[in-house]
Amino acid sequence: MVTAFRWLLRIFAALVLVAVGSIALAYYFAARSLPAYNATYRIDGITAPVEIVRDTADVPHIFGRTDADVFEALGFAHAQDRLWQMVMLRRTVQGRLSEVFGLETVKTDELMRTLDLYGLATRSVAAQDDRTRAALAAYAKGVNAWIEVVNAQSRGRGAPEFFLFRNEISYWQPADSVAILKLMALRSTAQAEAEVMRARLSVLSETWPRDLMPDVPGPGVAALPPYAALVPGVKRSYAALGESADPFWPLPRFASAGASNAWAAAPARSAAGGSLLANDPHLDFSAPSLWYLARLELASGGVIGATIPGIPAVLAGRNARFGWGISAAWVDDQDLRMEEVNPADPGRYRTSDGWKPFATRASIIEVKDAQPITVTLRRTDNGPVLPDDAYDVGSVTPPGHVAALSWTALDPADASMTSAIRLMQAGSIAEGIAAGEGFVAPAQNVTMADQTGIAMATFGAIPARDAATLGQGRLPALGWMPANRWQGRQPYAGNPRFLNPAGGIVGNTNNKIADGAFPHHVSFTWGDTQRVQRWTRLMQEREVHTRESFIAAQLDTVSPAARTILPLIAADLWFTGEAAPAGTPERLRQRALEVLAEWDGDMNEHLPEPLIYAAWVRALQSRLIRDELGPLADSFTHMEPLFIERVFRDIDGAARWCDVMQSAATESCTDIARMALDDALLELSERYGPNVESWRWGDAHQATQDHPVLGRMPVLKWIVNIRQSTSGGDHTLDRGLTAGTGP
């Protein structure tokens, strides 16, 4: 027995030593990937000493004699800190992820090769002005200089992730930076998916799109025909929109594509007598973040703000004379075209002049641990032919047709990078607006402030559509009809622009900003109908603003949607009858309603009310639509306030959604609201216990900053992923978009 114990002890000690040794070895090699910020490097091409000073938050402040030296140093700093991220962004846009990750990312690679953003970026380099091409070249030299340091000094392969995955890193090219900006454009627009969803709903019922995807309040829009009347042969489908498990899938969902804020106050509305500017450019959380703060001391002066690794430009920031912020403009920059394939010759498609051959090319996708896959890529005059799972276009494509995408970013002469470089070196609002002339995508509302005034202008190409376009760009249309084809782009001078407005305040929360009649409408689909209400109130509450009042508005977590929706759905439930016996579902419901009755709509992470409200409205929307939509209801992951309001105010007869189609009884909206509340409370009780007062919004509402690859691995996910309890919600200025799942 003693001998056995000794051997067990020895084995245990050996295992401990091996584990400690493995951890120490892994730490040593991982630590070798970390840059030495106090080191001095000799870099070819630098004309004079360049200094990169890191502050206490590791933000680089770059000082050099020439602009080329500064841009080269920015590329060096980006690569020091974010080399893996930059390589993955480049692989994504090149369609080369499967070389690293295998079959899981084949669909993403096929989509990116279909769109050919990298090929377009390569051609777009020549469209940039001389200063921008010089900046791109210098930046690429800086990135490559760090890669050479890694290779020469065995700096841990450049990033810890390269120990686990394919670690060949090709040198950076100017086209890589342009391509990443195009990838950001793809991630910033969901207009095509909105078309698909609207088409799916209209095939099922002519009135459903009007309720579930309502027009933003404002001047009316002419009624649209059902999609089936525009494109015959589409089958009815209740299936949910397709989902991709690939963490690099670049297409956003229309329910969550943008949540940025930007606003400015003129000197007359500022307590200090100078212009004020605030910006909160939201993008999806990740570890590391996509944003990277940096300061560049250029010949034109210093500029500081937010960059994206891989792009040599401050995309939102300020210099000594001028500041600017960005928010998604929600321009309708995508249209889907249904192209009829010649039944006698599948290599040709119908045009207004007869049958025409597809432009085709073969592309080979190298796949880790599998055979290469050859895909045939096709293109029509309207754009590339999409795979069926892109935007779920297969669900609205009739037999004998394929779907092609018209998109402003598919422009080989895209000079958006030049506009970005010019914007950060602008010295006034006039120069800032002029900088937007060549900007194509991603479309942004740029809020600007200089020493004397404020402005907001929409940067980005807006398609020029024929007034006779069927579906008005809101539904897929037949590609062969001349009226459905784009006629170039609208003049930049016609883009929405607000210069020194009389009220002294200008801003955007992704809300509707233009009321023009089609085809001068900018968009029918906007990113916000609620937050702008709260912003308007906060801006008008004060005659003059301060930096502190702007910060308070950015951090505001009051939900105008909650303040509107709760009185509607709870109107006939509050204060009804005597108190129910303790421990019964009725008593739990009464207690929840009592708590909500005292709530002011603040989505504070420490309160139970936001949790009850969020779970209730989610269950309510599900009950309202699931019997009609079936599995398709799963695609409506977030509560749409305008839909709930239409139903409970019975706008255009929308209260019909409250009646359950499969039941003999006629349910009222009060019935559905009560049942949905009981559903929500049961789910919350099972998860958080029976005591309403102990529930906490922050327990369910957490910021999830995940590493897209390591964050899905056992053990490592507990190290690299970041979780933080947060306030806010889907419709607060400090927006904390919910996942759309769970209570």
Side-chain angles (χ1 to χ4, degrees):
M1 180 65 71
V2 174
T3 301
F5 177 76
R6 286 175 178 172
W7 275 106
L8 287 173
L9 185 61
R10 290 169 184 168
I11 293 171
F12 176 75
L15 290 174
V16 170
L17 288 174
V18 169
V20 171
S22 299
I23 293 172
L25 192 64
Y27 176 79
Y28 170 77
F29 283 112
R32 291 286 295 167
S33 300
L34 300 177
Y37 291 148
N38 294 323
T40 300
Y41 301 95
R42 282 191 170 275
I43 305 299
D44 292 339
I46 295 290
T47 62
V50 176
E51 189 175 16
I52 303 177
V53 180
R54 305 272 181 163
D55 61 21
T56 55
D58 283 339
V59 174
H61 299 246
I62 302 174
F63 303 86
R65 182 170 298 177
T66 68
D67 285 359
D69 290 351
V70 172
F71 282 118
E72 187 166 345
L74 177 63
F76 191 83
H78 274 171
Q80 276 185 310
D81 296 342
R82 302 287 188 87
L83 188 59
W84 166 264
Q85 185 181 41
M86 293 168 65
V87 170
M88 289 303 104
L89 288 171
R90 179 172 64 179
R91 279 192 176 275
T92 300
V93 75
Q94 288 176 330
R96 295 180 55 219
L97 289 168
S98 299
E99 296 173 11
V100 177
F101 302 110
L103 292 170
E104 182 182 20
T105 56
V106 166
K107 289 297 184 183
T108 297
D109 285 348
E110 181 183 357
L111 171 64
M112 298 311 300
R113 296 191 186 203
T114 296
L115 297 176
D116 193 27
L117 295 187
Y118 193 80
L120 292 166
T122 301
R123 296 159 64 188
S124 292
V125 171
Q128 314 307 316
D129 65 12
D130 292 342
R131 180 172 60 176
T132 302
R133 286 198 299 272
L136 289 167
Y139 179 86
K141 287 175 61 178
V143 176
N144 296 333
W146 175 250
I147 294 174
E148 291 172 355
V149 168
V150 170
N151 292 335
Q153 300 182 13
S154 299
R155 299 294 308 175
R157 296 185 177 179
E161 293 91 340
F162 287 118
F163 285 104
L164 303 175
F165 300 97
R166 185 168 176 169
N167 57 14
E168 297 92 343
I169 305 173
S170 59
Y171 283 124
W172 202 261
Q173 304 294 329
D176 299 344
S177 298
V178 178
I180 290 175
L181 185 59
K182 285 186 173 291
L183 179 61
M184 293 304 104
L186 184 63
R187 290 181 172 182
S188 300
T189 181
Q191 295 287 350
E193 186 181 84
E195 285 189 30
V196 170
M197 178 58 80
R198 192 175 288 110
R200 291 275 302 272
L201 292 173
S202 72
V203 171
L204 298 175
S205 170
E206 187 174 345
T207 62
W208 288 0
R210 184 179 60 196
D211 291 334
L212 285 168
M213 302 179 70
D215 294 328
V216 176
V221 177
L224 293 176
Y227 177 56
L230 301 179
V231 183
V234 178
K235 297 179 180 179
R236 297 164 62 91
S237 172
Y238 291 90
L241 293 182
E243 296 279 358
S244 175
D246 179 3
F248 295 101
W249 184 249
L251 303 183
R253 299 305 302 269
F254 73 91
S256 55
S260 42
N261 302 321
W263 55 79
R269 295 291 301 272
S270 167
S275 300
L276 285 171
L277 174 67
N279 187 207
D280 185 9
H282 291 199
L283 287 173
D284 289 342
F285 283 139
S286 64
S289 166
L290 189 61
W291 294 115
Y292 182 106
L293 297 178
R295 172 187 172 192
L296 312 178
E297 284 296 326
L298 301 168
S300 58
V303 57
I304 187 169
T307 70
I308 289 177
I311 297 176
V314 174
L315 300 175
R318 60 179 172 84
N319 55 42
R321 297 173 295 162
F322 176 70
W324 72 103
I326 56 176
S327 54
W330 284 76
V331 166
D332 187 2
D333 55 3
Q334 293 180 323
D335 277 349
L336 292 171
R337 312 296 188 193
M338 293 298 138
E339 308 283 14
E340 184 180 352
V341 179
N342 188 338
D345 182 0
R348 303 172 74 86
Y349 67 99
R350 185 179 180 183
T351 72
S352 58
D353 298 322
W355 301 105
K356 182 176 182 178
F358 289 99
T360 62
R361 60 187 176 89
S363 185
I364 300 175
I365 300 174
E366 299 289 340
V367 184
K368 178 184 175 183
D369 300 329
Q371 292 297 313
I373 297 173
T374 301
V375 294
T376 299
L377 309 178
R378 294 179 292 176
R379 187 181 183 89
T380 73
D381 291 340
N382 290 309
V385 175
L386 295 175
D388 283 350
D389 53 358
Y391 303 110
D392 209 36
V393 293
S395 64
V396 295
T397 304
H401 290 71
V402 293
L405 176 68
S406 295
W407 180 31
T408 56
L410 302 176
D411 181 355
D414 181 353
S416 298
M417 187 67 74
T418 293
S419 290
I421 296 291
R422 289 177 178 174
L423 180 63
M424 75 175 188
Q425 296 181 333
S428 66
I429 287 175
E431 292 178 8
I433 291 176
E437 178 73 39
F439 200 88
V440 174
Q444 299 288 311
N445 287 322
V446 181
T447 302
M448 294 168 268
D450 61 17
Q451 295 170 330
T452 61
I454 59 173
M456 185 175 74
T458 299
F459 283 21
I462 300 177
R465 295 178 174 89
D466 192 309
T469 297
L470 298 178
Q472 298 182 329
R474 296 207 284 175
L475 292 168
L478 292 172
W480 65 267
M481 298 181 66
N484 295 336
R485 305 249 332 243
W486 285 358
Q487 302 167 347
R489 67 179 65 168
Q490 296 184 23
Y492 172 64
N495 283 15
R497 186 177 301 175
F498 308 88
L499 181 62
N500 289 319
I505 299 281
V506 69
N508 178 244
T509 64
N510 305 136
N511 58 289
K512 180 179 180 179
I513 62 169
D515 287 333
F518 181 83
H520 305 292
H521 62 301
V522 179
S523 181
F524 289 119
T525 302
W526 302 90
D528 172 50
T529 62
Q530 305 296 308
R531 292 180 292 124
V532 66
Q533 301 175 30
R534 180 64 176 171
W535 172 75
T536 301
R537 177 170 180 175
L538 292 178
M539 293 299 103
Q540 298 298 77
E541 279 182 347
R542 302 170 60 104
E543 183 175 349
V544 294
H545 281 275
T546 64
R547 182 178 65 174
E548 287 70 25
S549 71
F550 268 29
I551 292 173
Q554 285 186 310
L555 298 177
D556 188 81
T557 55
V558 172
S559 171
R563 290 184 168 186
T564 300
I565 296 300
L566 268 179
L568 289 175
I569 64 178
D572 295 326
L573 299 179
W574 271 319
F575 316 119
T576 55
E578 299 295 328
T584 63
E586 290 77 13
R587 179 57 191 152
L588 182 61
R589 184 199 312 145
Q590 288 177 342
R591 182 63 192 126
L593 288 167
E594 290 169 3
V595 168
L596 290 175
E598 302 297 326
W599 183 46
D600 65 353
D602 186 2
M603 303 289 286
N604 188 294
E605 62 182 298
H606 302 294
L607 298 177
E609 292 92 339
L611 181 59
I612 300 169
Y613 160 74
W616 186 5
V617 293
R618 181 174 180 272
L620 175 61
Q621 180 163 288
S622 180
R623 273 194 173 269
L624 289 172
I625 69 176
R626 187 160 297 279
D627 62 319
E628 283 91 349
L629 269 61
L632 184 58
D634 292 335
S635 300
F636 290 86
T637 54
H638 294 78
M639 188 270 294
E640 171 50 67
L642 294 183
F643 168 64
I644 301 297
E645 191 169 354
R646 285 178 65 86
V647 170
F648 279 80
R649 294 189 188 278
D650 195 20
I651 298 174
D652 295 331
R656 61 184 175 276
W657 289 90
C658 294
D659 183 31
V660 179
M661 297 172 62
Q662 287 82 4
S663 71
T666 301
E667 290 82 5
S668 68
C669 290
T670 299
D671 294 332
I672 296 298
R674 182 179 61 254
M675 289 186 283
L677 179 56
D678 289 344
D679 293 342
L681 295 175
L682 176 61
E683 194 171 5
L684 293 175
S685 298
E686 291 175 347
R687 179 168 296 195
Y688 303 111
N691 186 4
V692 171
E693 287 75 9
S694 68
W695 296 348
R696 182 174 174 271
W697 174 229
D699 290 339
H701 189 248
Q702 297 186 345
T704 57
Q705 295 165 282
D706 292 356
H707 191 289
V709 179
L710 302 184
R712 303 191 300 164
M713 292 185 172
V715 182
L716 282 178
K717 67 181 180 181
W718 302 109
I719 300 173
V720 300
N721 292 342
I722 303 170
R723 296 288 188 276
Q724 171 141 6
S725 167
T726 59
S727 300
D730 291 349
H731 306 107
T732 56
L733 281 177
D734 184 8
R735 196 183 192 204
L737 185 67
T738 57
T741 59

